[in-house]
Amino acid sequence: MGDEAGKPNAILSSSSTSDQTLRALKPLRCIVKLGGAAITCKDELESINEENLRSVCAQLRQAMTPCKSSSPAKNLGMDWSRRLGNPPVSTIDEFRNKQALDLDNNFIIVHGAGSFGHFQASRSGVHKGGLNLPLVKAGFVATRISVTSLNLEIVRGLAREGIPSVGISPFACGWSTCQKNIASADASQIIKALKAGFVPILHGDAVLDHLQDCTILSGDVIIRHLAQLLMPEYVVFLTDVLGVYDRPPTDPNAMLLREIEVAEDGSWSIVKPNLPHAKGAALPQLTIQMH
Amino acid sequence: MGDEAGKPNAILSSSSTSDQTLRALKPLRCIVKLGGAAITCKDELESINEENLRSVCAQLRQAMTPCKSSSPAKNLGMDWSRRLGNPPVSTIDEFRNKQALDLDNNFIIVHGAGSFGHFQASRSGVHKGGLNLPLVKAGFVATRISVTSLNLEIVRGLAREGIPSVGISPFACGWSTCQKNIASADASQIIKALKAGFVPILHGDAVLDHLQDCTILSGDVIIRHLAQLLMPEYVVFLTDVLGVYDRPPTDPNAMLLREIEVAEDGSWSIVKPNLPHAKGAALPQLTIQMH
């Protein structure tokens, strides 16, 4: 991830997203990162934190509800799957009578893997490449099965809240890397989905790499690329800690940083609390928590 | 679907798949269509025919096993999900000791929807377009959830048989239509996945349409496009009837057509059995069953 810092032009020029496509897009309101730790149980293989996921989806729905709405509209679900019970004929009829969705949903959501994909990727070494090795090829397949199954669950969770979500896998839309840095990342389909009124749901994925065959493209790298390309009003990181710390938050001495000032050139300094040597040339990962 | 017959050039020129990408591909061996009726229980909402799916995946594995193999290699599964039990550490170790996968897997698999997606699409009218209508937008989301969940199950089924499968949704890779005919269908990522040794698994999907906002792109249209573009040695349709009939096979008088002769110009005639008036200018859908 860090390898890319300071190379935004290289990333942007490698995308085949046309200027015309970009110009036709109204300003993006928000990119939200759902941290893997916030929506899955990190210590239990492929286990979703159902309560957190429900809460996150409800908060996102609230964030997309325009302020002018005096009373929140009835939530009509868009997941009409068998496992939710009988066919939702009454919901479908209510949609039929609705004039508009009343959502300001100009959002992109990117999620991490949490307890999905990590086991498969780390045991097979997908991040190190080498698809000629049967173990790496099998691990690539196993990793994609795991992360796409999480993506489907998140799309379902958001759709149940009435958010018109569409899953878009970076691998499927042809994103690739070169020695782990983004080499090709066409965002055309993401932009077209936004223009059509959908919320694209992307995820960290196993992708092809020009030099080492394959690697893992993390949700954070995807967000950085999309933020540089689409210039959203906000980038919001939902995670399981209170914000950015001066060291790993599991360290009992870790201190929460209250205010970080970022200059135009990307250099930064910590304003609150007042710490010695708290300056840097590269932008740290900003964490803002929604309540 | 029928609208496109006789317009192959229009379809090919609309694709942004570069000649260079195509030339780099070794000849495609086979495109397989898994008919929705063959892998799902058509009369029961979102119900997979597990027995048929297992049998189909095993047959495909067999079809990909090179003839020179005197004894079939031990089948090492590539779905390492929690729901299959404990982490498959022994399988991973066996992959580690393997030199090659020993599969001739230069295949593309496209599946239909069967009892997945049809309910959601038909109740909302996704095929007729109009994303400004909340019902159509919700139906688009619900249809994609349903068809991508089937896609994931088929990828899993194939991976369990040791086939290195990767799901690729037409919507995610930017395929779109114009009045229901394919307008844009970049196959670059499918080709890159093939070159990397994976088996791309596509499916009928809800897609964006330039004139009517959205529609349903069927598995059969996807196959026709890929067959014209990639010229595979075989196109095989796996379905729940014995082949092509002279009328709907549910009709008790339906007759199985044993041999159909197709001329260079696409016209065709039925050779066996000898039927009167059994000629046509357009190619019917060929059905070949694998046993």
Side-chain angles (χ1 to χ4, degrees):
Chain A
M1 257 183 66
D3 305 355
E4 281 171 281
K7 288 199 267 175
N9 291 333
I11 298 171
L12 285 176
S13 64
S14 69
S15 159
S16 55
T17 311
S18 72
D19 286 349
Q20 198 184 357
T21 313
L22 269 175
R23 272 196 300 275
L25 182 72
K26 66 175 178 175
L28 184 66
R29 204 172 140 213
C30 192
I31 298 178
V32 180
K33 165 81 189 286
L34 302 187
I39 45 169
T40 73
C41 308
K42 268 216 131 171
D43 299 327
E44 195 180 339
L45 179 65
E46 296 188 344
S47 168
I48 289 176
N49 187 326
E50 297 285 357
E51 196 185 324
N52 275 11
L53 179 60
R54 259 195 305 274
S55 156
V56 160
C57 293
Q59 286 175 53
L60 285 169
R61 160 85 194 196
Q62 209 178 345
M64 292 176 193
T65 304
C67 301
K68 64 180 167 62
S69 299
S70 51
S71 61
K74 186 180 169 193
N75 175 17
L76 295 176
M78 295 182 180
D79 179 4
W80 304 343
S81 300
R82 178 192 180 201
R83 72 175 187 189
L84 294 178
N86 292 326
V89 179
S90 63
T91 302
I92 294 171
D93 283 342
E94 287 188 69
F95 268 118
R96 205 182 303 279
N97 299 326
K98 228 171 147 62
Q99 297 302 307
L101 277 185
D102 285 331
L103 279 187
D104 181 6
N105 59 353
N106 197 18
F107 278 56
I108 293 174
I109 296 173
V110 182
H111 62 84
S115 58
F116 287 73
H118 275 168
F119 164 78
Q120 291 85 348
S122 62
R123 282 304 181 100
S124 57
V126 172
H127 58 290
K128 290 186 279 186
L131 282 173
N132 57 319
L133 301 170
L135 176 65
V136 177
K137 185 166 279 170
F140 191 100
V141 169
T143 303
R144 293 212 71 241
I145 287 174
S146 191
V147 293
T148 54
S149 72
L150 175 62
N151 181 254
L152 182 59
E153 290 311 310
I154 291 173
V155 168
R156 275 187 203 275
L158 292 161
R160 282 196 295 271
E161 279 292 327
I163 297 171
S165 315
V166 285
I168 296 186
S169 284
F171 172 82
C173 60
W175 287 32
S176 62
T177 55
C178 186
Q179 268 190 320
K180 302 187 180 186
N181 295 322
I182 284 185
S184 164
D186 184 0
S188 312
Q189 186 59 5
I190 295 166
I191 294 170
K192 284 175 193 160
L194 282 167
K195 282 172 62 186
F198 295 108
V199 179
I201 318 295
L202 282 83
H203 58 91
D205 204 357
V207 296
L208 300 180
D209 185 282
H210 298 202
L211 277 184
Q212 62 172 45
D213 294 350
C214 66
T215 193
I216 297 294
L217 178 65
S218 77
D220 289 327
V221 175
I222 294 168
I223 293 219
R224 190 187 305 181
H225 176 74
L226 290 178
Q228 285 170 335
L229 187 71
L230 304 175
M231 304 289 280
E233 288 176 54
Y234 301 96
V235 179
V236 175
F237 289 77
L238 287 164
T239 181
D240 60 344
V241 291
L242 288 174
V244 178
Y245 290 78
D246 66 337
R247 67 199 79 182
T250 44
D251 185 326
N253 296 319
M255 192 176 290
L256 180 64
L257 308 181
R258 299 282 173 186
E259 197 177 330
I260 302 169
E261 203 170 67
V262 183
E264 284 285 333
D265 65 357
S267 65
W268 55 273
S269 60
I270 295 165
V271 181
K272 284 181 199 166
N274 190 1
L275 300 175
H277 314 302
K279 290 188 178 195
L283 189 66
Q285 181 178 303
L286 290 180
T287 304
I288 306 160
Q289 194 174 42
M290 288 168 75
H291 289 284
Chain B
M1 259 185 66
D3 305 354
E4 279 173 280
K7 287 197 267 173
N9 291 334
I11 299 171
L12 285 177
S13 63
S14 68
S15 161
S16 54
T17 313
S18 73
D19 286 348
Q20 199 184 354
T21 314
L22 269 175
R23 274 197 300 272
L25 182 72
K26 67 176 178 176
L28 183 65
R29 203 170 141 216
C30 192
I31 299 178
V32 179
K33 165 80 189 287
L34 301 188
I39 46 169
T40 73
C41 307
K42 267 218 132 170
D43 299 329
E44 196 180 338
L45 180 64
E46 296 188 345
S47 169
I48 288 175
N49 187 326
E50 297 286 355
E51 195 185 325
N52 274 11
L53 180 59
R54 260 196 303 275
S55 154
V56 160
C57 293
Q59 287 175 50
L60 285 169
R61 160 85 193 194
Q62 207 177 346
M64 291 175 193
T65 303
C67 301
K68 64 179 168 60
S69 298
S70 52
S71 61
K74 187 180 168 192
N75 175 19
L76 295 176
M78 296 181 181
D79 178 5
W80 304 343
S81 300
R82 178 193 180 201
R83 73 174 186 190
L84 295 179
N86 291 327
V89 179
S90 63
T91 301
I92 293 171
D93 283 340
E94 287 190 68
F95 268 118
R96 205 181 304 278
N97 299 326
K98 228 171 145 61
Q99 296 303 308
L101 275 185
D102 285 332
L103 279 185
D104 180 6
N105 60 352
N106 196 19
F107 279 57
I108 293 175
I109 295 173
V110 182
H111 62 83
S115 58
F116 288 72
H118 276 168
F119 165 77
Q120 291 85 348
S122 62
R123 280 305 181 98
S124 58
V126 172
H127 58 290
K128 291 186 280 187
L131 282 173
N132 57 320
L133 301 171
L135 176 63
V136 176
K137 186 167 278 171
F140 191 99
V141 169
T143 302
R144 292 211 72 242
I145 287 174
S146 190
V147 293
T148 54
S149 71
L150 175 61
N151 182 254
L152 182 59
E153 290 311 311
I154 291 173
V155 169
R156 275 188 203 275
L158 292 161
R160 281 197 294 272
E161 279 292 328
I163 297 171
S165 315
V166 286
I168 295 186
S169 285
F171 172 82
C173 60
W175 287 32
S176 62
T177 55
C178 186
Q179 269 191 318
K180 303 187 179 186
N181 296 321
I182 284 184
S184 165
D186 184 359
S188 313
Q189 185 60 6
I190 295 166
I191 293 170
K192 283 174 192 160
L194 281 167
K195 280 171 63 186
F198 295 109
V199 178
I201 318 294
L202 284 85
H203 59 90
D205 204 357
V207 296
L208 300 179
D209 184 283
H210 298 201
L211 277 184
Q212 62 173 44
D213 293 349
C214 66
T215 194
I216 297 294
L217 178 63
S218 77
D220 288 328
V221 174
I222 295 168
I223 292 219
R224 191 187 305 179
H225 175 74
L226 290 178
Q228 285 170 335
L229 187 70
L230 304 175
M231 304 290 280
E233 287 176 54
Y234 301 96
V235 180
V236 175
F237 289 76
L238 286 163
T239 181
D240 61 344
V241 290
L242 289 173
V244 178
Y245 290 77
D246 65 338
R247 70 198 78 181
T250 45
D251 185 327
N253 295 320
M255 192 177 289
L256 180 64
L257 307 180
R258 299 283 172 185
E259 196 176 333
I260 301 169
E261 202 170 70
V262 183
E264 284 286 334
D265 64 359
S267 65
W268 55 272
S269 61
I270 295 165
V271 181
K272 284 180 197 169
N274 190 2
L275 301 175
H277 315 302
K279 289 187 178 197
L283 190 65
Q285 180 176 306
L286 289 181
T287 304
I288 306 160
Q289 194 172 43
M290 288 168 75
H291 289 283

